[in-house]
Amino acid sequence: MGDSAADKLRRRAGRIQDGLEPVADAAEEVSNTRALDAVARFGYAITALLHLLIGIVAIRLALGGSGEADTAGAIETLAQGTPGRIAVWAGFIGCMGLALWQLSEATVRSRSLPRRTRLSKGFTSGALSIVYTVLALTFANFAVGPGSDASGATIHFSAMALNFPSGTFLLSGVGVAVAGVGVYFVIKGVLRKFRPELTFLDSVRGSIIDALGVLGHVAKGIALILVGVLFGVAAIQHNPGRPTGLDASLKALLEQPTGQYVLGVIGIGFICHGIFGIVRAKYGRM
């Protein structure tokens, strides 16, 4: 009796998998090098620095000052002068290295894990790889030119989304997704799910870092929830000109009676997240 079409497809898939196995082994060997780990740690340090700068601007806004409390504003601060251009290119390298490291976590490094863990790792690390790639390209944008305004970019995105026939649902979905990431950060902070990332949380020093991790993750989560809410408001009002980025979300707090105090706490939280990130870059598990 001849083999069925399904059997032939399975054998063909098996041969393809066997052929790709040496490639995957080689990729895993490259991903396990100290060089990639070192660049990824540098990428963590760069993102930590951005959190520190955003937190400083948020506190400045709460005290009546000015500034752009978002990633583009933080990178623009770094990009001042010739030393700044060098720093921005270094940021690009670090974030691209971190993106590649996360990609390896999502693929070749997770091959031996149980299926459920492998799928979860593939989703989370894969998403982070995309995030850090976008961040690296933002650094590159500032390195080769004047950069871009983040609030203007989000307005453009909102307008483009609302031009689609189902744009309201699309933009609402983006808002829900961003707010969902914010909820994840809040839960991660409150339940201290960041602890496996570090190695010395059983010491006095670890207790301080533990507190920084809680406040930093919760503050970042709240900020992302606010961004998601603004996306939702823009969708419901069908207002493509409404700013929907992080800077607009934080500045919207100033319109509330006690918003400046909330904004100040969020700013402190971002600074705590930045300090936590620096410690993560130095001592975190890779």
Side-chain angles (χ1 to χ4, degrees):
M1 184 179 232
D3 293 334
S4 67
D7 290 334
K8 292 179 180 179
L9 285 174
R10 278 195 292 268
R11 283 200 302 271
R12 183 177 299 175
R15 287 195 297 269
I16 293 174
Q17 184 175 358
D18 291 340
L20 292 176
E21 197 71 24
V23 178
D25 290 339
E28 184 175 4
E29 186 176 348
V30 172
S31 72
N32 286 326
T33 59
R34 290 186 177 182
L36 182 58
D37 282 353
V39 178
R41 286 185 186 278
F42 180 65
Y44 274 124
I46 289 294
T47 60
L49 177 59
L50 295 180
H51 281 87
L52 287 171
L53 293 173
I54 292 172
I56 291 171
V57 174
I59 293 175
R60 187 190 304 158
L61 291 172
L63 296 175
S66 60
E68 298 293 320
D70 53 30
T71 301
I75 296 177
E76 185 177 14
T77 301
L78 289 176
Q80 303 301 317
T82 302
R85 293 290 178 181
I86 297 173
V88 171
W89 275 119
F92 166 76
I93 294 171
C95 289
M96 279 305 299
L98 186 52
L100 290 173
W101 184 85
Q102 290 289 354
L103 181 61
S104 71
E105 285 280 289
T107 54
V108 293
R109 286 191 176 192
S110 62
R111 289 186 301 159
S112 60
L113 298 176
R115 178 178 175 81
R116 184 174 179 179
T117 306
R118 189 169 67 248
L119 290 175
S120 174
K121 193 73 173 175
F123 176 77
T124 55
S125 294
L128 286 173
S129 178
I130 295 172
V131 169
Y132 291 128
T133 298
V134 172
L135 183 56
L137 293 177
T138 305
F139 270 106
N141 189 29
F142 276 90
V144 299
S148 61
D149 175 61
S151 61
T154 54
I155 291 175
H156 176 71
F157 171 78
S158 300
M160 182 178 63
L162 290 174
N163 281 333
F164 285 97
S166 57
T168 299
F169 297 102
L170 174 61
L171 197 59
S172 297
V174 172
V176 171
V178 173
V181 175
V183 172
Y184 164 77
F185 268 93
V186 172
I187 294 174
K188 183 178 180 180
V190 172
L191 299 182
R192 294 171 169 81
K193 289 183 175 294
F194 54 82
R195 282 182 166 182
E197 299 173 6
L198 297 175
T199 58
F200 53 79
L201 288 176
D202 56 344
S203 64
V204 175
R205 178 180 59 173
S207 298
I208 297 174
I209 300 302
D210 191 50
L212 290 172
V214 172
L215 183 55
H217 281 82
V218 170
K220 183 173 181 177
I222 292 173
L224 289 174
I225 291 171
L226 290 173
V227 174
V229 168
L230 281 192
F231 272 118
V233 170
I236 293 171
Q237 295 179 347
H238 204 82
N239 181 6
R242 185 183 183 93
T244 48
L246 177 60
D247 180 67
S249 301
L250 296 181
K251 287 177 179 176
L253 289 173
L254 297 175
E255 301 173 4
Q256 307 304 317
T258 58
Q260 67 184 101
Y261 303 107
V262 177
L263 180 56
V265 172
I266 290 177
I268 293 172
F270 264 80
I271 291 175
C272 290
H273 197 285
I275 297 173
F276 174 86
I278 291 173
V279 175
R280 169 72 177 84
K282 176 66 175 178
Y283 299 105
R285 294 188 176 95
M286 300 297 291

